[in-house]
Amino acid sequence: MSMNRRHLALAGAAALTLANLTPSTGLAQGGDAAAVAAAVEALTKAMLAGDRAGMMAVTHERLSYGHSAGRIENRQQFIDPLANKTSIFRSMNISDQNIDVVGEDAIVRHVLRGESESNGRVNPVNIGILQVWKKQPDGWKLLARQAFTRPN
């Protein structure tokens, strides 16, 4: 293929556009958003399995975890009941997920539907979730989470 002025101008414009992308826009956000989505999925799988190591790997040491009933927990208080199987998720379905990367932070919103079991009682789950993730040298970590009730 021969290059003419038009091809060179288009290539130059594309190069300038790519050079002006910042970490919170364009291709970088796409990569970070994908990494955040993978971290959300890893957290979901670890919660379902009651996998302590898996939950520890994707949560920040200063985690603030807010339940839809109003209870606020730290990292240990969140992980222990799931890892000890005193409270379990029988199923979890994440939908309507939106990820917005803002520099080294990410805001995730989604709907969580499923079933949980605690003290022998099975309860339906239909909640909205807001999560704040923080980029760390070893990956994205959940820093804050707040659940809220949704209409059935």
Short mmCIF file of all heavy atoms in Angstrom, two decimals, residues 11-68:
data_model
loop_
_atom_site.label_atom_id
_atom_site.label_comp_id
_atom_site.label_asym_id
_atom_site.label_seq_id
_atom_site.Cartn_x
_atom_site.Cartn_y
_atom_site.Cartn_z
N ALA A 11 -2.66 9.27 10.13
CA ALA A 11 -1.78 8.60 11.09
C ALA A 11 -1.29 9.58 12.15
O ALA A 11 -1.23 9.27 13.33
CB ALA A 11 -0.59 7.95 10.37
N GLY A 12 -0.95 10.80 11.73
CA GLY A 12 -0.51 11.82 12.68
C GLY A 12 -1.62 12.20 13.64
O GLY A 12 -1.38 12.35 14.85
N ALA A 13 -2.83 12.36 13.15
CA ALA A 13 -3.96 12.70 14.02
C ALA A 13 -4.22 11.59 15.02
O ALA A 13 -4.49 11.84 16.20
CB ALA A 13 -5.21 12.97 13.17
N ALA A 14 -4.13 10.35 14.57
CA ALA A 14 -4.34 9.22 15.48
C ALA A 14 -3.25 9.18 16.55
O ALA A 14 -3.53 8.95 17.73
CB ALA A 14 -4.36 7.90 14.69
N ALA A 15 -2.01 9.45 16.17
CA ALA A 15 -0.91 9.44 17.13
C ALA A 15 -1.09 10.54 18.16
O ALA A 15 -0.87 10.34 19.36
CB ALA A 15 0.42 9.60 16.41
N LEU A 16 -1.50 11.73 17.72
CA LEU A 16 -1.73 12.83 18.66
C LEU A 16 -2.88 12.51 19.61
O LEU A 16 -2.81 12.81 20.81
CB LEU A 16 -2.03 14.13 17.91
CG LEU A 16 -0.82 14.80 17.26
CD1 LEU A 16 -1.26 15.99 16.41
CD2 LEU A 16 0.17 15.24 18.32
N THR A 17 -3.92 11.91 19.11
CA THR A 17 -5.05 11.54 19.95
C THR A 17 -4.62 10.54 21.02
O THR A 17 -4.93 10.69 22.19
CB THR A 17 -6.19 10.94 19.10
OG1 THR A 17 -6.60 11.93 18.15
CG2 THR A 17 -7.37 10.53 19.96
N LEU A 18 -3.89 9.51 20.61
CA LEU A 18 -3.42 8.50 21.57
C LEU A 18 -2.45 9.11 22.59
O LEU A 18 -2.47 8.75 23.76
CB LEU A 18 -2.77 7.33 20.85
CG LEU A 18 -3.73 6.42 20.10
CD1 LEU A 18 -2.95 5.39 19.29
CD2 LEU A 18 -4.68 5.73 21.05
N ALA A 19 -1.62 10.05 22.18
CA ALA A 19 -0.65 10.66 23.08
C ALA A 19 -1.34 11.52 24.13
O ALA A 19 -0.80 11.71 25.22
CB ALA A 19 0.34 11.50 22.29
N ASN A 20 -2.52 12.04 23.84
CA ASN A 20 -3.23 12.92 24.77
C ASN A 20 -4.15 12.19 25.73
O ASN A 20 -4.80 12.84 26.54
CB ASN A 20 -4.01 13.97 23.99
CG ASN A 20 -3.10 15.01 23.38
OD1 ASN A 20 -2.09 15.37 23.98
ND2 ASN A 20 -3.43 15.48 22.19
N LEU A 21 -4.22 10.87 25.64
CA LEU A 21 -5.09 10.14 26.57
C LEU A 21 -4.50 10.20 27.97
O LEU A 21 -3.30 10.05 28.16
CB LEU A 21 -5.22 8.68 26.14
CG LEU A 21 -6.01 8.43 24.86
CD1 LEU A 21 -5.97 6.95 24.51
CD2 LEU A 21 -7.44 8.90 24.99
N THR A 22 -5.35 10.41 28.96
CA THR A 22 -4.91 10.41 30.35
C THR A 22 -5.31 9.10 30.99
O THR A 22 -6.13 8.37 30.46
CB THR A 22 -5.56 11.58 31.12
OG1 THR A 22 -6.97 11.36 31.15
CG2 THR A 22 -5.24 12.92 30.50
N PRO A 23 -4.76 8.77 32.19
CA PRO A 23 -5.08 7.50 32.83
C PRO A 23 -6.57 7.29 33.10
O PRO A 23 -7.03 6.18 33.21
CB PRO A 23 -4.30 7.55 34.15
CG PRO A 23 -3.15 8.44 33.86
CD PRO A 23 -3.70 9.47 32.89
N SER A 24 -7.35 8.36 33.22
CA SER A 24 -8.76 8.18 33.55
C SER A 24 -9.66 8.19 32.31
O SER A 24 -10.87 8.22 32.42
CB SER A 24 -9.22 9.27 34.52
OG SER A 24 -9.11 10.54 33.90
N THR A 25 -9.06 8.22 31.11
CA THR A 25 -9.87 8.23 29.91
C THR A 25 -9.37 7.20 28.92
O THR A 25 -8.29 6.65 29.06
CB THR A 25 -9.83 9.62 29.22
OG1 THR A 25 -8.50 9.89 28.83
CG2 THR A 25 -10.37 10.71 30.12
N GLY A 26 -10.16 7.00 27.89
CA GLY A 26 -9.73 6.21 26.75
C GLY A 26 -9.25 4.81 27.07
O GLY A 26 -9.85 4.09 27.85
N LEU A 27 -8.14 4.44 26.45
CA LEU A 27 -7.64 3.08 26.55
C LEU A 27 -7.24 2.70 27.98
O LEU A 27 -7.46 1.58 28.41
CB LEU A 27 -6.44 2.90 25.62
CG LEU A 27 -6.73 3.03 24.13
CD1 LEU A 27 -5.44 2.93 23.32
CD2 LEU A 27 -7.73 2.00 23.67
N ALA A 28 -6.64 3.64 28.71
CA ALA A 28 -6.20 3.33 30.08
C ALA A 28 -7.40 2.99 30.96
O ALA A 28 -7.36 2.07 31.76
CB ALA A 28 -5.42 4.49 30.67
N GLN A 29 -8.48 3.77 30.85
CA GLN A 29 -9.66 3.48 31.67
C GLN A 29 -10.23 2.13 31.29
O GLN A 29 -10.66 1.38 32.16
CB GLN A 29 -10.72 4.56 31.53
CG GLN A 29 -11.92 4.25 32.42
CD GLN A 29 -12.94 5.35 32.47
OE1 GLN A 29 -12.76 6.40 31.91
NE2 GLN A 29 -14.03 5.10 33.16
N GLY A 30 -10.22 1.80 30.01
CA GLY A 30 -10.72 0.49 29.60
C GLY A 30 -9.96 -0.63 30.26
O GLY A 30 -10.55 -1.59 30.75
N GLY A 31 -8.64 -0.53 30.32
CA GLY A 31 -7.82 -1.54 30.99
C GLY A 31 -8.06 -1.57 32.48
O GLY A 31 -8.18 -2.64 33.08
N ASP A 32 -8.13 -0.39 33.11
CA ASP A 32 -8.40 -0.33 34.54
C ASP A 32 -9.82 -0.81 34.84
O ASP A 32 -10.04 -1.53 35.81
CB ASP A 32 -8.21 1.10 35.08
CG ASP A 32 -6.75 1.44 35.31
OD1 ASP A 32 -5.93 0.51 35.44
OD2 ASP A 32 -6.44 2.65 35.38
N ALA A 33 -10.78 -0.42 34.02
CA ALA A 33 -12.16 -0.86 34.24
C ALA A 33 -12.26 -2.38 34.15
O ALA A 33 -12.96 -3.02 34.93
CB ALA A 33 -13.11 -0.19 33.25
N ALA A 34 -11.54 -2.97 33.21
CA ALA A 34 -11.53 -4.43 33.09
C ALA A 34 -10.89 -5.07 34.31
O ALA A 34 -11.37 -6.10 34.81
CB ALA A 34 -10.79 -4.85 31.81
N ALA A 35 -9.82 -4.45 34.83
CA ALA A 35 -9.17 -4.99 36.03
C ALA A 35 -10.08 -4.87 37.25
O ALA A 35 -10.13 -5.77 38.09
CB ALA A 35 -7.84 -4.26 36.28
N VAL A 36 -10.83 -3.77 37.34
CA VAL A 36 -11.79 -3.60 38.44
C VAL A 36 -12.90 -4.64 38.31
O VAL A 36 -13.29 -5.27 39.30
CB VAL A 36 -12.37 -2.17 38.47
CG1 VAL A 36 -13.51 -2.06 39.49
CG2 VAL A 36 -11.28 -1.16 38.79
N ALA A 37 -13.40 -4.84 37.10
CA ALA A 37 -14.45 -5.85 36.89
C ALA A 37 -13.96 -7.23 37.30
O ALA A 37 -14.70 -8.01 37.92
CB ALA A 37 -14.90 -5.85 35.43
N ALA A 38 -12.70 -7.54 37.00
CA ALA A 38 -12.12 -8.83 37.41
C ALA A 38 -12.03 -8.92 38.93
O ALA A 38 -12.27 -9.98 39.51
CB ALA A 38 -10.76 -9.01 36.77
N ALA A 39 -11.69 -7.81 39.60
CA ALA A 39 -11.62 -7.81 41.06
C ALA A 39 -13.00 -8.00 41.67
O ALA A 39 -13.16 -8.73 42.66
CB ALA A 39 -10.98 -6.51 41.55
N VAL A 40 -14.03 -7.35 41.09
CA VAL A 40 -15.41 -7.54 41.57
C VAL A 40 -15.80 -9.00 41.43
O VAL A 40 -16.38 -9.60 42.35
CB VAL A 40 -16.39 -6.63 40.80
CG1 VAL A 40 -17.84 -6.97 41.13
CG2 VAL A 40 -16.11 -5.15 41.11
N GLU A 41 -15.47 -9.60 40.29
CA GLU A 41 -15.78 -11.01 40.06
C GLU A 41 -15.04 -11.91 41.05
O GLU A 41 -15.60 -12.87 41.58
CB GLU A 41 -15.45 -11.40 38.63
CG GLU A 41 -15.86 -12.83 38.29
CD GLU A 41 -15.63 -13.19 36.84
OE1 GLU A 41 -15.48 -12.28 36.00
OE2 GLU A 41 -15.62 -14.40 36.55
N ALA A 42 -13.77 -11.60 41.31
CA ALA A 42 -12.99 -12.40 42.27
C ALA A 42 -13.60 -12.31 43.66
O ALA A 42 -13.68 -13.31 44.38
CB ALA A 42 -11.54 -11.93 42.28
N LEU A 43 -14.05 -11.10 44.05
CA LEU A 43 -14.69 -10.93 45.35
C LEU A 43 -15.98 -11.74 45.42
O LEU A 43 -16.24 -12.44 46.41
CB LEU A 43 -14.97 -9.46 45.63
CG LEU A 43 -15.73 -9.17 46.93
CD1 LEU A 43 -14.93 -9.60 48.15
CD2 LEU A 43 -16.11 -7.70 47.00
N THR A 44 -16.78 -11.68 44.37
CA THR A 44 -18.04 -12.42 44.33
C THR A 44 -17.80 -13.92 44.48
O THR A 44 -18.45 -14.59 45.29
CB THR A 44 -18.79 -12.13 43.01
OG1 THR A 44 -19.03 -10.71 42.93
CG2 THR A 44 -20.12 -12.86 42.95
N LYS A 45 -16.83 -14.44 43.74
CA LYS A 45 -16.51 -15.88 43.82
C LYS A 45 -16.01 -16.25 45.21
O LYS A 45 -16.38 -17.29 45.75
CB LYS A 45 -15.48 -16.25 42.75
CG LYS A 45 -16.04 -16.28 41.35
CD LYS A 45 -14.98 -16.64 40.34
CE LYS A 45 -15.58 -16.69 38.94
NZ LYS A 45 -14.56 -16.99 37.92
N ALA A 46 -15.16 -15.40 45.79
CA ALA A 46 -14.62 -15.69 47.12
C ALA A 46 -15.73 -15.66 48.17
O ALA A 46 -15.75 -16.49 49.09
CB ALA A 46 -13.53 -14.69 47.47
N MET A 47 -16.67 -14.72 48.04
CA MET A 47 -17.79 -14.66 48.98
C MET A 47 -18.66 -15.90 48.88
O MET A 47 -19.08 -16.47 49.89
CB MET A 47 -18.62 -13.39 48.73
CG MET A 47 -17.90 -12.11 49.13
SD MET A 47 -18.79 -10.60 48.63
CE MET A 47 -20.23 -10.69 49.70
N LEU A 48 -18.94 -16.33 47.66
CA LEU A 48 -19.75 -17.54 47.46
C LEU A 48 -19.08 -18.77 48.04
O LEU A 48 -19.74 -19.63 48.62
CB LEU A 48 -20.01 -17.76 45.96
CG LEU A 48 -21.23 -17.06 45.38
CD1 LEU A 48 -21.20 -17.11 43.86
CD2 LEU A 48 -22.51 -17.65 45.91
N ALA A 49 -17.77 -18.85 47.90
CA ALA A 49 -17.02 -20.02 48.36
C ALA A 49 -16.64 -19.94 49.84
O ALA A 49 -16.18 -20.92 50.41
CB ALA A 49 -15.75 -20.19 47.52
N GLY A 50 -16.81 -18.76 50.44
CA GLY A 50 -16.34 -18.58 51.82
C GLY A 50 -14.82 -18.64 51.89
O GLY A 50 -14.25 -19.08 52.87
N ASP A 51 -14.18 -18.19 50.84
CA ASP A 51 -12.73 -18.27 50.68
C ASP A 51 -12.05 -17.07 51.36
O ASP A 51 -11.98 -15.98 50.80
CB ASP A 51 -12.40 -18.30 49.18
CG ASP A 51 -10.93 -18.29 48.87
OD1 ASP A 51 -10.09 -18.37 49.79
OD2 ASP A 51 -10.60 -18.19 47.67
N ARG A 52 -11.55 -17.30 52.58
CA ARG A 52 -10.91 -16.23 53.36
C ARG A 52 -9.75 -15.59 52.59
O ARG A 52 -9.65 -14.37 52.49
CB ARG A 52 -10.41 -16.76 54.69
CG ARG A 52 -9.78 -15.68 55.57
CD ARG A 52 -9.26 -16.23 56.90
NE ARG A 52 -10.29 -16.87 57.68
CZ ARG A 52 -11.13 -16.22 58.50
NH1 ARG A 52 -11.05 -14.92 58.62
NH2 ARG A 52 -12.04 -16.90 59.18
N ALA A 53 -8.85 -16.41 52.06
CA ALA A 53 -7.69 -15.88 51.34
C ALA A 53 -8.12 -15.07 50.12
O ALA A 53 -7.54 -14.01 49.83
CB ALA A 53 -6.76 -17.02 50.93
N GLY A 54 -9.12 -15.55 49.43
CA GLY A 54 -9.62 -14.83 48.26
C GLY A 54 -10.22 -13.48 48.62
O GLY A 54 -9.99 -12.47 47.93
N MET A 55 -10.97 -13.43 49.73
CA MET A 55 -11.55 -12.16 50.17
C MET A 55 -10.46 -11.22 50.66
O MET A 55 -10.50 -10.01 50.39
CB MET A 55 -12.61 -12.39 51.24
CG MET A 55 -13.89 -13.02 50.68
SD MET A 55 -15.19 -13.27 51.92
CE MET A 55 -14.67 -14.83 52.65
N MET A 56 -9.48 -11.74 51.38
CA MET A 56 -8.37 -10.92 51.87
C MET A 56 -7.59 -10.32 50.69
O MET A 56 -7.14 -9.18 50.76
CB MET A 56 -7.42 -11.75 52.74
CG MET A 56 -8.00 -12.20 54.07
SD MET A 56 -8.23 -10.88 55.26
CE MET A 56 -6.54 -10.51 55.71
N ALA A 57 -7.45 -11.09 49.62
CA ALA A 57 -6.64 -10.66 48.48
C ALA A 57 -7.23 -9.45 47.76
O ALA A 57 -6.49 -8.68 47.14
CB ALA A 57 -6.47 -11.82 47.49
N VAL A 58 -8.55 -9.26 47.81
CA VAL A 58 -9.17 -8.17 47.06
C VAL A 58 -9.80 -7.10 47.94
O VAL A 58 -10.51 -6.22 47.44
CB VAL A 58 -10.20 -8.70 46.03
CG1 VAL A 58 -9.52 -9.50 44.94
CG2 VAL A 58 -11.30 -9.48 46.71
N THR A 59 -9.57 -7.15 49.25
CA THR A 59 -10.11 -6.13 50.13
C THR A 59 -8.97 -5.32 50.76
O THR A 59 -7.90 -5.84 51.04
CB THR A 59 -10.98 -6.73 51.25
OG1 THR A 59 -10.24 -7.71 51.97
CG2 THR A 59 -12.25 -7.36 50.68
N HIS A 60 -9.24 -4.07 50.97
CA HIS A 60 -8.28 -3.15 51.59
C HIS A 60 -8.29 -3.36 53.09
O HIS A 60 -9.32 -3.68 53.68
CB HIS A 60 -8.69 -1.70 51.25
CG HIS A 60 -7.64 -0.70 51.51
ND1 HIS A 60 -7.42 -0.18 52.77
CD2 HIS A 60 -6.76 -0.08 50.68
CE1 HIS A 60 -6.45 0.71 52.70
NE2 HIS A 60 -6.03 0.79 51.45
N GLU A 61 -7.15 -3.19 53.73
CA GLU A 61 -7.07 -3.40 55.19
C GLU A 61 -7.97 -2.43 55.96
O GLU A 61 -8.36 -2.73 57.08
CB GLU A 61 -5.62 -3.27 55.66
CG GLU A 61 -5.03 -1.89 55.47
CD GLU A 61 -3.56 -1.82 55.85
OE1 GLU A 61 -2.88 -2.86 55.87
OE2 GLU A 61 -3.09 -0.70 56.09
N ARG A 62 -8.34 -1.30 55.38
CA ARG A 62 -9.21 -0.32 56.03
C ARG A 62 -10.65 -0.38 55.52
O ARG A 62 -11.39 0.59 55.60
CB ARG A 62 -8.66 1.09 55.80
CG ARG A 62 -7.24 1.33 56.29
CD ARG A 62 -7.12 1.61 57.77
NE ARG A 62 -8.01 2.60 58.29
CZ ARG A 62 -7.77 3.90 58.37
NH1 ARG A 62 -6.62 4.37 57.93
NH2 ARG A 62 -8.66 4.73 58.88
N LEU A 63 -11.06 -1.54 55.01
CA LEU A 63 -12.39 -1.71 54.44
C LEU A 63 -13.50 -1.24 55.39
O LEU A 63 -13.49 -1.56 56.57
CB LEU A 63 -12.62 -3.20 54.11
CG LEU A 63 -14.02 -3.58 53.62
CD1 LEU A 63 -14.33 -2.94 52.27
CD2 LEU A 63 -14.16 -5.09 53.54
N SER A 64 -14.45 -0.51 54.83
CA SER A 64 -15.69 -0.16 55.52
C SER A 64 -16.82 -0.79 54.71
O SER A 64 -17.04 -0.45 53.55
CB SER A 64 -15.88 1.36 55.58
OG SER A 64 -17.12 1.67 56.20
N TYR A 65 -17.52 -1.75 55.33
CA TYR A 65 -18.50 -2.59 54.63
C TYR A 65 -19.88 -2.33 55.22
O TYR A 65 -20.15 -2.70 56.36
CB TYR A 65 -18.09 -4.06 54.80
CG TYR A 65 -18.79 -5.02 53.87
CD1 TYR A 65 -18.23 -5.33 52.64
CD2 TYR A 65 -19.98 -5.63 54.23
CE1 TYR A 65 -18.84 -6.24 51.79
CE2 TYR A 65 -20.60 -6.53 53.38
CZ TYR A 65 -20.03 -6.84 52.16
OH TYR A 65 -20.63 -7.72 51.33
N GLY A 66 -20.75 -1.68 54.48
CA GLY A 66 -22.09 -1.33 54.95
C GLY A 66 -23.15 -2.26 54.40
O GLY A 66 -23.29 -2.41 53.20
N HIS A 67 -23.89 -2.88 55.31
CA HIS A 67 -24.99 -3.78 54.94
C HIS A 67 -26.27 -2.99 54.69
O HIS A 67 -26.45 -1.90 55.24
CB HIS A 67 -25.22 -4.82 56.04
CG HIS A 67 -24.11 -5.81 56.15
ND1 HIS A 67 -24.11 -7.02 55.50
CD2 HIS A 67 -22.94 -5.77 56.84
CE1 HIS A 67 -23.01 -7.67 55.78
NE2 HIS A 67 -22.28 -6.94 56.60
N SER A 68 -27.17 -3.57 53.94
CA SER A 68 -28.43 -2.89 53.63
C SER A 68 -29.29 -2.67 54.88
O SER A 68 -30.13 -1.79 54.90
CB SER A 68 -29.22 -3.68 52.58
OG SER A 68 -29.51 -4.99 53.06
#
